[in-house]
């Protein structure tokens, strides 16, 4: 019963109970010392007389009292030693608990809980001096990809190595904290109006971090995006700016750096906050707009340049936002990729496009662009085939367009997906050819059906020299690999004339009209008599028995 009560009591109560026991033990020891002194004063002369001069034996009661006092002294001393050891253990445990509460266990940096208060303490210590404080938010670029390709153990090694490199670059007063999974925050003091010193420090950090990290026969090269905020600039607008506000502003600047291409840094500026607020509004609009059906397919004509005949359409996404109007894909596609909604968005658009294209002439093809993010999904091919089965659209009329950048992220996964789609009769185009770094070996080993010349090269056709030479080289390469070629971005008669002189090509661009919605596209095809005919108007299939034959049979 006693053990059960002790087990269920709170730590604070247990501490108080132990302290009471210790005080009792110390009290007993103190009393024993007093008694020992008192009894020993009369007993020791009796023992001396009996031992040296043969006197009477000492009083037995006093002897027993002394022995009892000695035992009590030994008990008290042992309890004191136990108490001292217990205090030491408690102090070590408290120190360890404090470290765990304040330190990141992986990197040894301050954590999200302790970092900002430490930075705030530093900021306050600089008030009234000729020094200011700069806060950096440091985020690893593509850290998820490092984890996915090399494993989480290697990811932890990279985080630990980079944290150590950053710490070595910071001055003695600098503070380093791990704020999130792959995010670090730094605070450094600097002399007033000497912001260039911080710029130099950031450049040193970027160089240090970019050095390869080697472990278990693997080598990883990481880059960082850095955002900075400073008390000096902020104090001009806001008299009091605490460390949390500086971290927030540095985080906004870091996000701005990522949008500008990564592996770089930017100082916070007020307009960045407005841009981020607008971006968050767009993100919320995308999340709401997908289930509301606000994203719709538009169709751009694809023309046989030699005959001028319409051969198909490329599906392009548009956002019919009730707040922003018709939004271009250049704005919402990158956001949808970042918030991991591009798959859901794209599948909805493809489903609509397949239903629209079923009404077109069976000779017309449908081309669909696929995001590199979608090709990371091992189930993408199955999802696309499911859409084809669901709609009843012929696989031979569908063409998937992937960009060259997809070939560098995971060539093995891309080859597997492309092969699966090809086996079902779907054609594959390499889009924006010439803007990436695809090699001839990749073009030979991957089963592409078409090359698409990027619009930037077509726009340079009117200039003499390099633009024309590049387009001719791509067309020649396509012929050598037996791959037909489509030129994008045809906007002038002069560019069209140049392309016609280069061979048998397909083309698309604003010269033939801007992309149109489904209803306008259907009206165009109706005027050209290029809509699919109803089943009743189709000629009978000679392989199938007639109605009279079925009745006779």
């Amino acid at each position: 019963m006693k053990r059960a009560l002790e087990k269920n009591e709170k730590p604070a109560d247990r501490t108080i109970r132990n302290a009471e026991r210790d005080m009792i033990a110390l009290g007993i020891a103190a009393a024993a010392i007093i008694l020992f002194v008192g009894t020993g004063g009369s007993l020791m002369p009796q023992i001396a007389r009996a031992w040296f001069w043969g006197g009477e034996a000492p009083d037995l009661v006093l002897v027993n009292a002394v022995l009892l006092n000695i035992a009590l002294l030994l008990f008290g001393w042992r309890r004191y030693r136990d108490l001292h050891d217990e205090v030491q253990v408690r102090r070590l445990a408290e120190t360890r608990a404090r470290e765990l509460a304040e330190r990141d266990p992986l990197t040894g940096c301050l954590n999200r809980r302790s970092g900002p208060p430490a930075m705030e303490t530093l900021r306050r210590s600089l008030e009234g001096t000729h020094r200011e404080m700069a806060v950096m938010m440091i985020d690893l670029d593509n850290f998820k990809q490092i984890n996915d390709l090399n494993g989480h153990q290697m990811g932890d090694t990279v985080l630990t190595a980079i944290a150590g490199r950053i710490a070595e670059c910071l001055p003695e007063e600098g503070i380093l904290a791990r704020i999130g999974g792959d995010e670090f925050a730094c605070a450094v003091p600097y002399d007033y109006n000497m912001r260039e010193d911080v710029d130099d420090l950031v450049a040193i950090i970027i160089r240090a971090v970019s050095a390869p990290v080697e472990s278990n026969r693997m080598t990883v090269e990481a880059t960082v995006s850095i955002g900075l905020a400073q008390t000096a600039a902020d104090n001009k607008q806001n008299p009091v700016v605490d460390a949390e506000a500086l971290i927030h502003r540095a985080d906004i600047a870091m996000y701005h750096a990522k949008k500008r291409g990564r592996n770089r840094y930017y100082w916070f500026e007020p307009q960045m906050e407005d841009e981020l607020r607008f971006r968050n509004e767009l993100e919320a609009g995308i999340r709401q707009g997908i289930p509301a059906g606000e994203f719709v397919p538009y169709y751009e004509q694809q023309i046989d340049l030699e005959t001028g005949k319409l051969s198909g359409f490329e599906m392009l996404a548009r956002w019919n936002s009730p707040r922003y109007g018709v939004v271009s894909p250049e704005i919402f596609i990158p956001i949808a990729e970042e918030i991991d909604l591009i798959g859901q968005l794209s599948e909805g658009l493809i489903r609509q496009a397949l239903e629209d294209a079923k009404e077109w002439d069976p000779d017309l093809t449908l081309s669909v662009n696929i995001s590199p993010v979608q090709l990371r999904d091992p189930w993408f091919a199955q999802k696309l085939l499911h859409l084809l089965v669901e709609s009843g659209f012929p696989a031979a009329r569908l063409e998937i367009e992937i960009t060259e950048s997809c070939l560098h992220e995971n060539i093995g996964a891309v080859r597997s997906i492309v092969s699966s789609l090809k086996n079902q009769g779907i054609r594959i185009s390499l889009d924006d050819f010439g803007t990436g770094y695809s090699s001839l070996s990749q073009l030979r080993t991957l089963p592409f059906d078409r090359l698409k010349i990027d619009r930037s090269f077509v726009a340079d056709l009117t200039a003499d020299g390099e633009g024309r030479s590049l387009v001719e080289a791509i067309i020649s390469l396509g012929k050598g690999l037996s791959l037909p070629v489509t030129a994008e971005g045809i906007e002038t008669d002069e560019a069209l004339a140049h392309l016609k002189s280069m061979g048998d090509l397909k083309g698309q661009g604003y010269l033939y009209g801007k992309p149109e919605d489904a209803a306008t596209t259907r009206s165009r095809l109706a005027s050209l008599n290029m809509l699919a005919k109803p089943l009743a108007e189709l000629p009978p299939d000679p392989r199938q028995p007639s109605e009279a034959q079925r009745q006779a049979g």
Side-chain angles (χ1 to χ4, degrees), residues 110-132:
L110 296 177
N111 57 23
R112 181 68 181 85
R113 178 181 177 182
S114 58
M119 295 178 186
E120 178 63 13
T121 301
L122 175 61
R123 186 193 70 81
R124 290 181 178 178
S125 69
L126 299 176
E127 290 180 345
T129 69
H130 293 288
R131 306 179 75 197
E132 298 291 344

Side-chain angles (χ1 to χ4, degrees), residues 431-472:
D431 196 14
D432 298 338
F433 184 73
T435 60
Y437 303 96
S438 57
S439 65
L440 290 177
S441 62
Q442 289 172 336
L443 292 178
R444 291 181 60 188
T445 56
L446 289 172
F448 291 112
D449 297 290
R450 180 175 296 275
L451 299 180
K452 297 193 72 174
I453 305 174
D454 186 67
R455 63 182 66 249
S456 61
F457 299 133
V458 176
D460 291 339
L461 270 177
T462 54
D464 295 334
E466 184 176 341
R468 182 180 178 90
S469 300
L470 285 173
V471 173
E472 288 178 341

Side-chain angles (χ1 to χ4, degrees), residues 190-200 230 233 267:
Y190 66 98
D191 293 335
Y192 186 71
N193 284 338
M194 295 296 290
R195 200 174 84 167
E196 58 269 19
D197 291 346
V198 182
D199 292 327
D200 294 339
Q230 57 181 343
W267 287 91

Side-chain angles (χ1 to χ4, degrees), residues 65-82:
V66 170
L67 293 176
L68 177 61
N69 288 338
I70 293 173
L72 290 175
L73 284 173
L74 293 175
F75 168 76
W77 174 253
R78 180 175 179 181
R79 185 57 186 166
Y80 170 77
R81 292 294 305 173
D82 292 344

Side-chain angles (χ1 to χ4, degrees), residues 458-521:
V458 176
D460 291 339
L461 270 177
T462 54
D464 295 334
E466 184 176 341
R468 182 180 178 90
S469 300
L470 285 173
V471 173
E472 288 178 341
I474 294 173
I475 294 173
S476 177
L477 179 62
K479 290 179 180 178
L481 296 172
S482 300
L483 294 176
V485 177
T486 296
E488 296 181 304
I490 304 175
E491 298 182 0
T492 65
D493 291 325
E494 185 178 359
L496 176 60
H498 282 297
L499 290 169
K500 281 185 175 181
S501 67
M502 295 180 184
D504 185 11
L505 307 174
K506 286 185 179 181
Q508 60 188 85
Y510 286 179
L511 181 64
Y512 298 103
K514 293 186 177 181
E516 300 169 333
D517 60 21
T520 306
T521 300

